[in-house]
Amino acid sequence: MPVRSLRNRLVDGPDSWGAKRRSRRWTWLTETFPELPDMTVLDLGGRVDTWERAPVRAAHVHVVNLEPTPDDLPPWAEADHGDACALPEDIRRRRYDLVFSNSVIEHVGGHERRLRFAETIHAMAPAHWVQTPYRYFPVEPHWVAPGLQYLPVKARSSIAHWWPLQHTKATDRAETLQAVLWTELLDKTQMRHYFPRSVIRSERVAGVPKSLIAVKKN
């Protein structure tokens, strides 16, 4: 089986195992916040097209990301280029019903930046849903590589550079090293530290936690 086809079957394709897990998380989200269709949501680090594909969509979604903003947005969405750890003042003055973040906190750049990220979440809405892959799940999710997260940086970078199941192959080893250094998976102790008033849910596979979700309702 070609490598790209295997990755699509595992995590990227619409009928993949990963897609089924994401669908289940959306079900959890809507069960936790049944009022979601009437809520205003600040999505930190996400994308508008995620909400376009969602089975249930919020009344208004404001995406803030370091990526270029889309040119054509649906009427229920807005997007801004910004750092989720230090939002522009015009955004910080606003308030939302819910802050949503999916697989972002592990990429913001170290403990101090994660503190700023969590502070933003706490300040912008009374409720939040913050998901991140669990550090001690045996397969590193970004490269779909068993045990990669446990290795020294040099070994992680060397393996990640040639690993066939990575999402996008880096152009050189320096770019691979950057990707490795900007990926720091979290454990339960860290998530409880950043979200002390939240419930920390575990998404499990065969009884083993795969991801953690910090949930706080109004």
Side-chain angles (χ1 to χ4, degrees):
M1 179 185 297
V3 170
R4 178 53 55 187
S5 176
L6 177 59
R7 183 179 171 99
N8 282 340
R9 288 187 63 180
L10 289 173
V11 292
D12 290 341
D15 298 318
S16 67
W17 179 83
K20 291 180 174 64
R21 306 302 302 186
R22 291 188 290 272
S23 176
R24 182 182 179 189
R25 286 201 297 270
W26 275 106
T27 299
W28 283 9
L29 174 67
T30 56
E31 289 175 348
T32 304
F33 299 102
E35 65 276 29
L36 183 64
D38 300 317
M39 298 177 84
T40 58
V41 175
L42 175 62
D43 185 335
L44 296 178
R47 294 186 175 123
V48 173
D49 61 6
T50 298
W51 290 92
E52 289 178 314
R53 297 191 302 268
V56 178
R57 191 172 63 232
H60 185 81
V61 178
H62 186 183
V63 170
V64 178
N65 202 318
L66 291 174
E67 297 178 350
T69 57
D71 294 326
D72 188 21
L73 291 171
W76 48 266
E78 62 181 304
D80 279 295
H81 181 274
D83 182 353
C85 301
L87 290 177
E89 186 57 35
D90 62 320
I91 299 177
R92 290 193 67 86
R93 288 196 294 264
R94 298 172 61 173
R95 290 297 176 268
Y96 304 81
D97 297 318
L98 174 71
V99 177
F100 176 91
S101 180
N102 186 67
S103 295
V104 175
I105 192 172
E106 73 270 20
H107 296 297
V108 298
H111 171 62
E112 193 277 336
R113 293 267 298 167
R114 289 193 290 269
L115 282 174
R116 303 290 83 78
F117 185 79
E119 287 171 359
T120 296
I121 291 167
H122 296 311
M124 299 304 295
H128 57 248
W129 176 280
V130 182
Q131 184 271 348
T132 188
Y134 180 50
R135 172 172 173 75
Y136 295 107
F137 188 69
V139 178
E140 203 292 329
H142 302 88
W143 284 271
V144 196
L148 183 68
Q149 68 270 38
Y150 309 134
L151 300 176
V153 169
K154 182 176 181 180
R156 271 187 282 159
S157 181
S158 296
I159 293 171
H161 187 70
W162 58 261
W163 188 253
L165 293 177
Q166 60 187 291
H167 183 271
T168 303
K169 183 170 175 57
T171 56
D172 54 35
R173 290 187 176 273
E175 185 177 335
T176 301
L177 178 59
Q178 284 290 316
V180 166
L181 292 174
W182 280 96
T183 304
E184 298 178 81
L185 301 186
L186 280 65
D187 64 17
K188 291 181 181 180
T189 299
Q190 290 169 293
M191 285 292 279
R192 290 191 183 107
H193 177 70
Y194 300 130
F195 303 100
R197 295 181 299 278
S198 307
V199 174
I200 307 299
R201 293 186 181 177
S202 295
E203 176 194 13
R204 294 177 180 271
V205 174
V208 179
K210 178 186 178 294
S211 70
L212 305 174
I213 307 169
V215 181
K216 183 175 181 292
K217 302 183 70 173
N218 292 357

